[in-house]
Coordinates of all heavy atoms in Angstrom, one line a residue:
Q1 N -15.8 -14.5 12.2 CA -15.8 -13.6 11.0 C -14.6 -12.7 11.2 O -14.3 -12.2 12.2 CB -17.0 -12.8 11.0 CG -17.1 -11.9 9.7 CD -18.5 -11.3 9.6 OE1 -19.4 -11.7 10.2 NE2 -18.5 -10.2 8.9
R2 N -13.8 -12.6 10.1 CA -12.6 -11.8 10.1 C -12.8 -10.6 9.1 O -13.4 -10.7 8.1 CB -11.4 -12.6 9.7 CG -11.1 -13.7 10.7 CD -9.9 -14.4 10.6 NE -9.4 -14.7 9.3 CZ -8.2 -15.3 9.1 NH1 -7.5 -15.6 10.0 NH2 -7.9 -15.6 7.8
T3 N -12.0 -9.5 9.4 CA -12.1 -8.4 8.4 C -10.7 -8.2 7.8 O -9.7 -8.5 8.5 CB -12.4 -7.1 9.2 OG1 -11.5 -6.9 10.2 CG2 -13.9 -7.1 9.7
V4 N -10.7 -7.8 6.6 CA -9.4 -7.6 5.8 C -9.5 -6.2 5.2 O -10.5 -5.8 4.6 CB -9.3 -8.6 4.7 CG1 -8.0 -8.4 3.9 CG2 -9.3 -10.0 5.3
Y5 N -8.4 -5.5 5.3 CA -8.2 -4.2 4.5 C -7.3 -4.6 3.4 O -6.2 -5.1 3.6 CB -7.6 -3.2 5.4 CG -8.4 -2.4 6.3 CD1 -9.8 -2.7 6.6 CD2 -7.9 -1.2 6.9 CE1 -10.5 -2.0 7.5 CE2 -8.7 -0.5 7.8 CZ -10.0 -0.9 8.1 OH -10.8 -0.1 9.0
R6 N -7.7 -4.2 2.2 CA -6.9 -4.4 1.0 C -6.4 -3.0 0.5 O -7.3 -2.2 0.2 CB -7.7 -5.1 -0.1 CG -8.0 -6.5 0.2 CD -8.6 -7.2 -1.0 NE -7.5 -7.5 -1.9 CZ -7.7 -7.9 -3.1 NH1 -8.9 -8.1 -3.6 NH2 -6.6 -8.2 -3.9
L7 N -5.2 -2.8 0.5 CA -4.6 -1.5 0.1 C -3.8 -1.7 -1.2 O -2.9 -2.5 -1.3 CB -3.6 -1.0 1.1 CG -4.1 -0.8 2.6 CD1 -3.0 -0.3 3.5 CD2 -5.3 0.1 2.6
T8 N -4.3 -1.1 -2.3 CA -3.6 -1.1 -3.6 C -2.8 0.1 -3.7 O -3.4 1.2 -3.8 CB -4.7 -1.3 -4.7 OG1 -5.5 -2.5 -4.5 CG2 -4.0 -1.4 -6.0
L9 N -1.5 0.0 -3.8 CA -0.6 1.1 -3.8 C -0.4 1.6 -5.3 O -0.1 0.8 -6.1 CB 0.7 0.8 -3.2 CG 0.6 0.4 -1.7 CD1 2.1 0.1 -1.2 CD2 -0.1 1.4 -0.9
V10 N -0.5 2.9 -5.5 CA -0.3 3.5 -6.7 C 0.7 4.7 -6.6 O 0.4 5.6 -5.8 CB -1.7 4.0 -7.4 CG1 -1.4 4.6 -8.8 CG2 -2.7 3.0 -7.4
K11 N 1.8 4.6 -7.2 CA 2.8 5.7 -7.1 C 2.1 7.0 -7.5 O 1.4 7.0 -8.5 CB 4.0 5.4 -8.0 CG 5.1 4.6 -7.4 CD 6.3 4.6 -8.3 CE 7.2 3.5 -8.1 NZ 8.3 3.5 -9.0
Q12 N 2.5 8.1 -6.9 CA 2.0 9.4 -7.2 C 0.5 9.6 -6.9 O -0.1 10.6 -7.3 CB 2.3 9.8 -8.6 CG 3.8 9.8 -8.9 CD 4.2 10.0 -10.3 OE1 3.3 9.9 -11.2 NE2 5.5 10.2 -10.6
W13 N -0.1 8.6 -6.3 CA -1.6 8.7 -5.9 C -1.8 8.5 -4.4 O -2.4 9.3 -3.8 CB -2.4 7.7 -6.7 CG -2.6 8.1 -8.1 CD1 -1.5 8.2 -9.1 CD2 -3.7 8.3 -8.9 NE1 -2.0 8.5 -10.3 CE2 -3.4 8.6 -10.2 CE3 -5.1 8.3 -8.4 CZ2 -4.3 8.9 -11.1 CZ3 -6.0 8.7 -9.4 CH2 -5.7 8.9 -10.7
N14 N -1.3 7.4 -3.9 CA -1.6 7.1 -2.5 C -0.4 6.5 -1.8 O -0.6 5.9 -0.7 CB -2.8 6.1 -2.3 CG -2.6 4.8 -2.9 OD1 -1.5 4.5 -3.6 ND2 -3.5 3.8 -2.7
M15 N 0.7 6.8 -2.3 CA 2.0 6.4 -1.6 C 2.7 7.6 -1.2 O 2.8 8.6 -1.9 CB 2.9 5.5 -2.5 CG 2.4 4.2 -2.8 SD 3.5 3.2 -3.8 CE 4.8 2.8 -2.7
E16 N 3.2 7.6 0.0 CA 3.9 8.8 0.5 C 5.1 9.3 -0.3 O 5.8 8.5 -0.8 CB 4.3 8.6 2.0 CG 5.5 7.7 2.1 CD 6.1 7.8 3.5 OE1 5.4 8.2 4.4 OE2 7.2 7.3 3.7
D17 N 5.3 10.6 -0.3 CA 6.5 11.2 -0.7 C 7.6 10.9 0.3 O 7.3 10.9 1.5 CB 6.3 12.6 -0.9 CG 7.5 13.4 -1.5 OD1 8.5 13.4 -0.7 OD2 7.4 13.9 -2.6
E18 N 8.8 10.7 -0.1 CA 9.8 10.4 1.0 C 10.0 11.5 2.0 O 10.5 11.2 3.1 CB 11.2 10.1 0.3 CG 11.2 8.8 -0.6 CD 12.5 8.6 -1.2 OE1 13.5 9.2 -0.8 OE2 12.6 7.8 -2.1
N19 N 9.6 12.7 1.7 CA 9.8 13.8 2.6 C 8.6 14.1 3.5 O 8.6 15.0 4.2 CB 10.2 15.1 1.8 CG 11.4 14.9 1.0 OD1 12.4 14.3 1.5 ND2 11.4 15.3 -0.2
D20 N 7.5 13.3 3.3 CA 6.3 13.6 4.0 C 5.6 12.2 4.3 O 5.2 11.5 3.5 CB 5.3 14.4 3.1 CG 4.0 14.7 3.8 OD1 3.9 14.6 5.0 OD2 3.0 15.0 3.0
D21 N 5.5 12.0 5.6 CA 4.9 10.7 6.0 C 3.4 10.8 6.4 O 2.8 10.0 7.0 CB 5.7 10.1 7.1 CG 5.7 10.8 8.4 OD1 5.1 11.9 8.5 OD2 6.3 10.3 9.4
E22 N 2.7 11.9 6.0 CA 1.3 12.1 6.4 C 0.4 11.0 5.8 O -0.5 10.6 6.5 CB 0.8 13.5 5.8 CG -0.6 13.8 6.2 CD -0.9 13.9 7.7 OE1 0.1 14.1 8.5 OE2 -2.0 13.6 8.1
E23 N 0.7 10.5 4.6 CA -0.1 9.4 4.0 C -0.1 8.2 4.9 O -1.1 7.6 5.2 CB 0.5 9.1 2.6 CG -0.5 8.3 1.8 CD -1.1 9.3 0.7 OE1 -0.3 10.0 0.1 OE2 -2.3 9.2 0.5
L24 N 1.1 7.8 5.4 CA 1.2 6.6 6.3 C 0.5 6.9 7.6 O -0.1 5.9 8.1 CB 2.7 6.3 6.5 CG 3.3 5.4 5.5 CD1 4.8 5.4 5.7 CD2 2.8 4.0 5.5
N25 N 0.6 8.0 8.1 CA -0.1 8.4 9.4 C -1.6 8.2 9.2 O -2.3 7.8 10.1 CB 0.3 9.8 9.9 CG 1.7 9.8 10.4 OD1 2.3 8.8 10.7 ND2 2.3 11.0 10.3
Q26 N -2.1 8.7 8.1 CA -3.5 8.5 7.8 C -4.0 7.1 7.7 O -5.0 6.7 8.2 CB -3.9 9.3 6.6 CG -3.8 10.8 6.7 CD -4.6 11.4 7.9 OE1 -5.8 11.0 8.1 NE2 -4.0 12.3 8.6
Y27 N -3.2 6.3 7.0 CA -3.5 4.8 7.0 C -3.5 4.2 8.3 O -4.3 3.4 8.7 CB -2.5 4.1 6.0 CG -2.8 4.2 4.6 CD1 -2.0 4.9 3.7 CD2 -4.0 3.7 4.0 CE1 -2.2 5.0 2.3 CE2 -4.3 3.7 2.7 CZ -3.4 4.4 1.8 OH -3.7 4.5 0.5
A28 N -2.5 4.6 9.1 CA -2.4 4.0 10.5 C -3.6 4.4 11.3 O -4.1 3.6 12.1 CB -1.1 4.6 11.2
K29 N -4.1 5.6 11.1 CA -5.4 6.0 11.8 C -6.5 5.1 11.4 O -7.4 4.8 12.2 CB -5.7 7.5 11.5 CG -4.8 8.4 12.3 CD -5.2 9.9 12.0 CE -4.3 10.8 12.7 NZ -4.6 12.3 12.4
L30 N -6.6 4.8 10.1 CA -7.7 4.0 9.6 C -7.6 2.6 10.2 O -8.6 2.0 10.6 CB -7.6 3.9 8.1 CG -8.1 5.1 7.3 CD1 -7.9 4.9 5.8 CD2 -9.6 5.4 7.6
L31 N -6.4 2.1 10.4 CA -6.2 0.8 11.0 C -6.6 0.8 12.5 O -7.2 -0.2 12.9 CB -4.8 0.3 10.9 CG -4.2 0.1 9.5 CD1 -2.7 -0.3 9.6 CD2 -5.0 -0.9 8.7
E32 N -6.3 1.9 13.1 CA -6.7 2.1 14.5 C -8.2 2.1 14.7 O -8.7 1.5 15.6 CB -6.1 3.3 15.1 CG -6.3 3.5 16.6 CD -5.6 4.8 17.1 OE1 -4.5 5.1 16.5 OE2 -6.1 5.4 18.0
I33 N -8.9 2.7 13.8 CA -10.3 2.9 13.9 C -11.0 1.5 13.5 O -11.9 1.0 14.2 CB -10.8 4.0 12.9 CG1 -10.4 5.3 13.3 CG2 -12.3 3.9 12.7 CD1 -10.6 6.4 12.3
G34 N -10.6 0.9 12.4 CA -11.3 -0.3 11.9 C -10.8 -1.6 12.6 O -11.5 -2.6 12.6
Q35 N -9.5 -1.6 13.0 CA -9.0 -2.8 13.7 C -9.2 -4.0 12.8 O -9.7 -5.0 13.3 CB -9.4 -2.9 15.1 CG -9.1 -1.8 16.0 CD -9.5 -2.0 17.4 OE1 -10.0 -3.0 17.8 NE2 -9.4 -0.9 18.2
P36 N -8.8 -4.0 11.6 CA -8.9 -5.2 10.7 C -8.1 -6.4 11.3 O -7.1 -6.2 11.9 CB -8.5 -4.8 9.4 CG -7.4 -3.8 9.6 CD -8.0 -3.0 10.8
D37 N -8.5 -7.6 11.0 CA -7.7 -8.8 11.4 C -6.5 -9.0 10.5 O -5.5 -9.4 11.0 CB -8.6 -10.1 11.3 CG -9.8 -10.0 12.3 OD1 -9.5 -9.8 13.5 OD2 -10.9 -10.0 11.8
L38 N -6.7 -8.6 9.3 CA -5.6 -8.8 8.3 C -5.5 -7.6 7.4 O -6.5 -6.9 7.2 CB -5.8 -10.0 7.4 CG -6.0 -11.3 8.1 CD1 -6.6 -12.4 7.1 CD2 -4.7 -11.8 8.7
I39 N -4.3 -7.3 6.9 CA -4.1 -6.2 5.9 C -3.4 -6.8 4.7 O -2.3 -7.4 4.9 CB -3.3 -5.0 6.5 CG1 -3.9 -4.6 7.8 CG2 -3.2 -3.9 5.5 CD1 -2.9 -3.8 8.6
E40 N -3.9 -6.6 3.6 CA -3.3 -7.0 2.3 C -2.8 -5.8 1.6 O -3.6 -4.9 1.3 CB -4.2 -7.8 1.4 CG -3.5 -8.3 0.1 CD -4.5 -8.9 -0.8 OE1 -5.7 -9.1 -0.5 OE2 -4.0 -9.3 -1.9
I41 N -1.5 -5.7 1.4 CA -1.0 -4.5 0.7 C -0.4 -5.0 -0.6 O 0.5 -5.9 -0.6 CB 0.1 -3.8 1.6 CG1 -0.5 -3.4 2.9 CG2 0.7 -2.6 0.8 CD1 0.5 -2.8 3.9
K42 N -0.8 -4.4 -1.7 CA -0.3 -4.8 -3.0 C -0.1 -3.6 -3.9 O -0.6 -2.5 -3.7 CB -1.3 -5.8 -3.7 CG -2.6 -5.2 -4.0 CD -3.5 -6.3 -4.6 CE -4.6 -5.7 -5.5 NZ -4.2 -5.3 -6.8
A43 N 0.6 -3.9 -5.0 CA 0.9 -2.8 -6.0 C -0.3 -2.9 -7.0 O -0.8 -3.9 -7.3 CB 2.2 -3.1 -6.7
V44 N -0.6 -1.7 -7.6 CA -1.6 -1.7 -8.7 C -1.1 -2.5 -9.8 O 0.2 -2.7 -10.1 CB -1.8 -0.2 -9.1 CG1 -0.6 0.4 -9.8 CG2 -3.1 -0.2 -10.0
T45 N -2.0 -3.1 -10.5 CA -1.6 -3.9 -11.8 C -2.0 -3.0 -13.0 O -3.1 -2.6 -13.1 CB -2.4 -5.2 -11.9 OG1 -2.1 -6.0 -10.7 CG2 -2.1 -6.0 -13.1
Y46 N -0.9 -2.7 -13.8 CA -1.2 -1.9 -15.0 C -1.7 -2.8 -16.1 O -1.2 -3.9 -16.4 CB 0.1 -1.3 -15.4 CG 0.0 -0.4 -16.7 CD1 -0.8 0.7 -16.7 CD2 0.6 -0.8 -17.9 CE1 -0.9 1.5 -17.8 CE2 0.4 -0.1 -19.0 CZ -0.3 1.1 -19.0 OH -0.5 1.9 -20.1
C47 N -2.8 -2.4 -16.7 CA -3.5 -3.2 -17.7 C -3.5 -2.6 -19.1 O -4.3 -3.0 -19.9 CB -4.9 -3.5 -17.2 SG -5.1 -4.5 -15.7
G48 N -2.6 -1.6 -19.2 CA -2.5 -1.0 -20.5 C -3.2 0.4 -20.6 O -4.0 0.7 -19.6
K49 N -3.1 1.0 -21.7 CA -3.7 2.4 -21.9 C -5.2 2.3 -21.9 O -5.7 1.3 -22.5 CB -3.2 3.0 -23.1 CG -3.7 4.4 -23.4 CD -3.0 5.0 -24.6 CE -3.5 6.4 -24.9 NZ -4.6 7.0 -24.2
S50 N -5.9 3.2 -21.3 CA -7.3 3.2 -21.3 C -7.8 4.7 -21.2 O -7.2 5.5 -20.6 CB -7.8 2.5 -20.0 OG -9.2 2.7 -19.8
D51 N -8.9 4.9 -21.8 CA -9.6 6.2 -21.8 C -10.2 6.5 -20.4 O -10.3 7.7 -20.0 CB -10.7 6.3 -22.8 CG -10.2 6.4 -24.2 OD1 -9.0 6.8 -24.4 OD2 -11.0 6.0 -25.2
A52 N -10.4 5.4 -19.6 CA -10.9 5.6 -18.3 C -9.9 5.9 -17.2 O -10.2 6.2 -16.1 CB -11.7 4.3 -17.9
S53 N -8.6 5.8 -17.6 CA -7.5 6.0 -16.6 C -6.3 6.6 -17.2 O -6.0 6.3 -18.4 CB -7.2 4.7 -15.9 OG -6.0 4.8 -15.1
N54 N -5.6 7.4 -16.5 CA -4.3 7.9 -17.0 C -3.1 7.3 -16.4 O -2.0 7.9 -16.4 CB -4.3 9.5 -16.9 CG -4.4 9.9 -15.4 OD1 -4.6 9.1 -14.6 ND2 -4.3 11.2 -15.2
L55 N -3.3 6.1 -15.8 CA -2.2 5.4 -15.1 C -1.2 4.9 -16.2 O -1.6 4.5 -17.3 CB -2.7 4.2 -14.3 CG -3.5 4.5 -13.1 CD1 -3.9 3.2 -12.4 CD2 -2.7 5.4 -12.1
T56 N 0.1 4.9 -15.8 CA 1.1 4.3 -16.7 C 1.9 3.3 -15.9 O 1.7 3.2 -14.6 CB 2.0 5.4 -17.3 OG1 2.8 5.9 -16.3 CG2 1.2 6.4 -18.0
M57 N 2.9 2.7 -16.5 CA 3.8 1.8 -15.7 C 4.6 2.6 -14.7 O 5.1 2.0 -13.7 CB 4.8 1.1 -16.7 CG 4.2 -0.1 -17.4 SD 3.6 -1.3 -16.3 CE 5.1 -2.0 -15.6
K58 N 4.7 3.9 -14.8 CA 5.4 4.7 -13.8 C 4.6 4.8 -12.5 O 5.2 5.1 -11.4 CB 5.6 6.2 -14.3 CG 6.6 6.3 -15.4 CD 6.7 7.7 -15.9 CE 7.7 7.8 -17.1 NZ 7.8 9.2 -17.5
N59 N 3.4 4.4 -12.5 CA 2.5 4.4 -11.3 C 2.6 3.1 -10.6 O 2.0 2.9 -9.5 CB 1.1 4.7 -11.7 CG 0.9 6.1 -12.2 OD1 0.7 6.3 -13.4 ND2 1.1 7.1 -11.4
V60 N 3.2 2.1 -11.1 CA 3.3 0.7 -10.5 C 4.6 0.7 -9.6 O 5.7 0.8 -10.1 CB 3.4 -0.4 -11.6 CG1 3.5 -1.7 -11.0 CG2 2.2 -0.3 -12.6
P61 N 4.4 0.5 -8.3 CA 5.5 0.5 -7.4 C 6.2 -0.9 -7.6 O 5.6 -1.9 -7.9 CB 4.9 0.6 -6.0 CG 3.4 0.3 -6.2 CD 3.1 0.5 -7.6
W62 N 7.5 -0.8 -7.4 CA 8.4 -2.0 -7.3 C 8.0 -2.8 -6.0 O 7.6 -2.2 -5.0 CB 9.9 -1.7 -7.3 CG 10.3 -1.1 -8.6 CD1 10.4 0.2 -8.9 CD2 10.6 -1.8 -9.8 NE1 10.8 0.4 -10.2 CE2 11.0 -0.8 -10.8 CE3 10.6 -3.2 -10.1 CZ2 11.4 -1.2 -12.1 CZ3 11.0 -3.5 -11.4 CH2 11.4 -2.5 -12.4
H63 N 8.4 -4.1 -6.0 CA 8.2 -4.9 -4.8 C 8.9 -4.3 -3.6 O 8.3 -4.2 -2.5 CB 8.6 -6.3 -5.0 CG 8.4 -7.2 -3.8 ND1 7.2 -7.7 -3.4 CD2 9.4 -7.6 -2.9 CE1 7.4 -8.4 -2.3 NE2 8.7 -8.4 -2.0
S64 N 10.1 -3.8 -3.8 CA 10.8 -3.2 -2.7 C 10.1 -2.0 -2.1 O 10.2 -1.7 -0.9 CB 12.2 -2.9 -3.1 OG 12.2 -1.9 -4.2
E65 N 9.4 -1.3 -3.0 CA 8.7 -0.1 -2.5 C 7.5 -0.5 -1.7 O 7.1 0.2 -0.7 CB 8.3 0.8 -3.7 CG 9.5 1.4 -4.4 CD 9.2 2.1 -5.7 OE1 8.5 1.5 -6.5 OE2 9.6 3.3 -5.9
V66 N 6.8 -1.5 -2.2 CA 5.6 -2.0 -1.4 C 6.1 -2.6 -0.1 O 5.4 -2.3 0.9 CB 4.9 -3.1 -2.2 CG1 3.8 -3.7 -1.5 CG2 4.4 -2.5 -3.6
R67 N 7.1 -3.3 -0.1 CA 7.7 -3.8 1.2 C 8.1 -2.7 2.2 O 7.7 -2.8 3.3 CB 8.9 -4.7 0.9 CG 9.6 -5.2 2.2 CD 10.9 -5.8 1.9 NE 10.7 -7.2 1.6 CZ 11.6 -8.0 1.2 NH1 12.8 -7.6 1.0 NH2 11.4 -9.3 1.0
K68 N 8.7 -1.7 1.7 CA 9.1 -0.5 2.5 C 7.8 0.1 3.1 O 7.8 0.5 4.3 CB 9.9 0.4 1.7 CG 10.4 1.6 2.4 CD 11.2 2.6 1.5 CE 11.5 3.9 2.2 NZ 12.2 4.9 1.4
F69 N 6.8 0.3 2.2 CA 5.6 1.0 2.7 C 4.9 0.1 3.8 O 4.5 0.6 4.8 CB 4.6 1.1 1.5 CG 3.3 1.8 1.8 CD1 3.2 3.2 1.7 CD2 2.3 1.1 2.3 CE1 2.0 3.8 2.0 CE2 1.1 1.7 2.6 CZ 0.9 3.1 2.4
A70 N 4.8 -1.2 3.5 CA 4.2 -2.1 4.4 C 4.9 -2.1 5.8 O 4.3 -2.1 6.8 CB 4.1 -3.5 3.9
Q71 N 6.3 -2.2 5.8 CA 7.0 -2.1 7.0 C 6.8 -0.9 7.8 O 6.6 -0.8 9.0 CB 8.5 -2.4 6.7 CG 9.3 -2.5 8.0 CD 8.8 -3.7 8.9 OE1 8.7 -4.8 8.4 NE2 8.5 -3.4 10.2
A72 N 6.8 0.3 7.0 CA 6.6 1.6 7.7 C 5.2 1.7 8.3 O 5.1 2.2 9.4 CB 6.8 2.7 6.7
L73 N 4.3 1.1 7.6 CA 2.9 1.1 8.2 C 2.8 0.2 9.4 O 2.2 0.6 10.5 CB 1.9 0.6 7.1 CG 0.4 0.7 7.5 CD1 0.0 2.1 8.0 CD2 -0.5 0.2 6.3
C74 N 3.4 -1.0 9.4 CA 3.4 -1.9 10.5 C 4.1 -1.2 11.7 O 3.7 -1.4 12.8 CB 4.1 -3.2 10.2 SG 3.2 -4.3 9.1
D75 N 5.2 -0.5 11.4 CA 5.9 0.2 12.5 C 5.0 1.2 13.3 O 5.2 1.5 14.4 CB 7.1 0.9 11.9 CG 8.2 -0.1 11.5 OD1 8.2 -1.3 11.8 OD2 9.1 0.4 10.8
R76 N 4.1 1.8 12.5 CA 3.2 2.8 13.1 C 2.0 2.2 13.9 O 1.3 2.9 14.5 CB 2.7 3.7 12.0 CG 3.6 4.7 11.6 CD 3.2 5.4 10.3 NE 4.0 6.5 9.9 CZ 5.2 6.4 9.4 NH1 5.8 5.2 9.2 NH2 6.0 7.4 9.1
T77 N 1.9 0.9 13.9 CA 0.9 0.2 14.7 C 1.3 -0.3 16.1 O 0.5 -1.0 16.7 CB 0.3 -1.0 13.9 OG1 1.3 -2.0 13.8 CG2 -0.2 -0.6 12.5
G78 N 2.5 0.0 16.4 CA 2.9 -0.4 17.8 C 3.0 -1.9 17.9 O 2.8 -2.4 19.0
G79 N 3.3 -2.6 16.9 CA 3.5 -4.1 17.0 C 2.3 -4.9 16.8 O 2.3 -6.1 16.8
K80 N 1.1 -4.2 16.5 CA -0.1 -5.0 16.3 C -0.1 -5.8 15.0 O -0.7 -6.9 14.9 CB -1.3 -4.0 16.4 CG -2.6 -4.8 16.2 CD -3.8 -3.9 16.5 CE -5.1 -4.8 16.4 NZ -6.2 -4.2 16.9
Y81 N 0.6 -5.2 14.0 CA 0.6 -5.9 12.7 C 2.0 -6.1 12.3 O 2.9 -5.4 12.7 CB -0.1 -5.0 11.6 CG -1.6 -4.8 11.9 CD1 -2.0 -3.7 12.5 CD2 -2.5 -5.8 11.6 CE1 -3.4 -3.4 12.7 CE2 -3.9 -5.6 11.8 CZ -4.3 -4.4 12.4 OH -5.6 -4.2 12.7
G82 N 2.2 -7.1 11.5 CA 3.5 -7.5 10.9 C 3.4 -8.2 9.6 O 2.2 -8.5 9.2
T83 N 4.5 -8.5 9.0 CA 4.4 -9.2 7.7 C 4.2 -10.7 8.0 O 5.1 -11.3 8.6 CB 5.7 -9.0 6.9 OG1 5.8 -7.6 6.7 CG2 5.6 -9.7 5.5
A84 N 3.2 -11.3 7.4 CA 2.9 -12.7 7.6 C 3.4 -13.5 6.3 O 3.9 -14.6 6.4 CB 1.5 -13.0 7.8
A85 N 3.3 -12.9 5.2 CA 3.7 -13.5 3.9 C 3.9 -12.4 2.8 O 3.3 -11.3 3.0 CB 2.7 -14.5 3.4
E86 N 4.7 -12.7 1.8 CA 4.8 -11.8 0.7 C 5.0 -12.6 -0.5 O 5.5 -13.7 -0.5 CB 5.9 -10.8 0.9 CG 7.3 -11.4 1.0 CD 8.4 -10.3 1.3 OE1 8.7 -9.6 0.3 OE2 8.8 -10.1 2.4
H87 N 4.6 -12.0 -1.7 CA 4.7 -12.7 -2.9 C 5.2 -11.7 -4.0 O 4.7 -10.6 -4.1 CB 3.3 -13.2 -3.3 CG 3.3 -13.9 -4.7 ND1 3.9 -15.2 -4.8 CD2 2.9 -13.5 -5.9 CE1 3.7 -15.5 -6.1 NE2 3.1 -14.5 -6.8
V88 N 6.3 -12.1 -4.7 CA 6.9 -11.2 -5.7 C 6.4 -11.7 -7.0 O 6.6 -12.9 -7.4 CB 8.4 -11.3 -5.7 CG1 9.0 -10.3 -6.7 CG2 8.9 -10.9 -4.3
H89 N 5.7 -10.8 -7.8 CA 5.3 -11.2 -9.1 C 6.4 -11.0 -10.1 O 7.2 -10.1 -9.9 CB 4.0 -10.4 -9.5 CG 2.8 -10.8 -8.9 ND1 2.1 -11.9 -9.2 CD2 2.1 -10.2 -7.8 CE1 1.0 -12.0 -8.5 NE2 1.0 -11.0 -7.6
S90 N 6.4 -11.7 -11.2 CA 7.3 -11.5 -12.3 C 6.5 -10.8 -13.4 O 5.4 -11.0 -13.6 CB 7.9 -12.8 -12.8 OG 6.9 -13.6 -13.2
C91 N 7.3 -9.9 -14.1 CA 6.6 -9.2 -15.2 C 6.7 -9.9 -16.5 O 7.6 -10.7 -16.7 CB 7.2 -7.8 -15.3 SG 6.9 -6.8 -13.9

């Protein structure tokens, strides 16, 4: 049996500010505690305006931002995790 952490990144919600890496450090602590076998990191998918959410396209990170976040998180694991595969969606 394997465990997977799925992280859905949303700009201005759960992605670090360039001047503060506290968010990444907290994610790294979760990885250390849970020790998942795999981590899937993806960008939020914007599905249009909704009364249930105030997200906009401004909250959808670019692939390069997701990649940067993933690499920074992997760097904080001391080599335990790395990128196995990536997929770029087209809009």
Side-chain angles (χ1 to χ4, degrees):
Q1 185 171 340
R2 300 191 315 178
T3 57
V4 179
Y5 278 12
R6 293 188 75 190
L7 306 179
T8 301
L9 302 182
V10 183
K11 276 189 199 178
Q12 302 171 347
W13 287 62
N14 66 351
M15 291 180 71
E16 74 168 18
D17 181 297
E18 290 182 19
N19 301 317
D20 179 20
D21 63 358
E22 183 59 26
E23 200 105 44
L24 276 167
N25 290 335
Q26 293 300 320
Y27 278 116
K29 284 182 184 178
L30 287 174
L31 297 179
E32 186 178 326
I33 292 167
Q35 299 182 8
D37 297 300
L38 304 168
I39 307 163
E40 179 186 358
I41 302 174
K42 67 184 203 76
V44 67
T45 300
Y46 178 68
C47 297
K49 186 175 176 354
S50 165
D51 290 337
S53 171
N54 59 357
L55 293 180
T56 68
M57 282 299 294
K58 290 180 182 179
N59 298 109
V60 179
W62 292 97
H63 178 76
S64 60
E65 294 169 310
V66 174
R67 175 190 271 176
K68 181 181 173 185
F69 182 94
Q71 186 57 55
L73 184 56
C74 287
D75 290 347
R76 283 166 173 74
T77 67
K80 182 169 181 166
Y81 297 99
T83 302
E86 63 181 283
H87 179 76
V88 181
H89 286 282
S90 59
C91 295

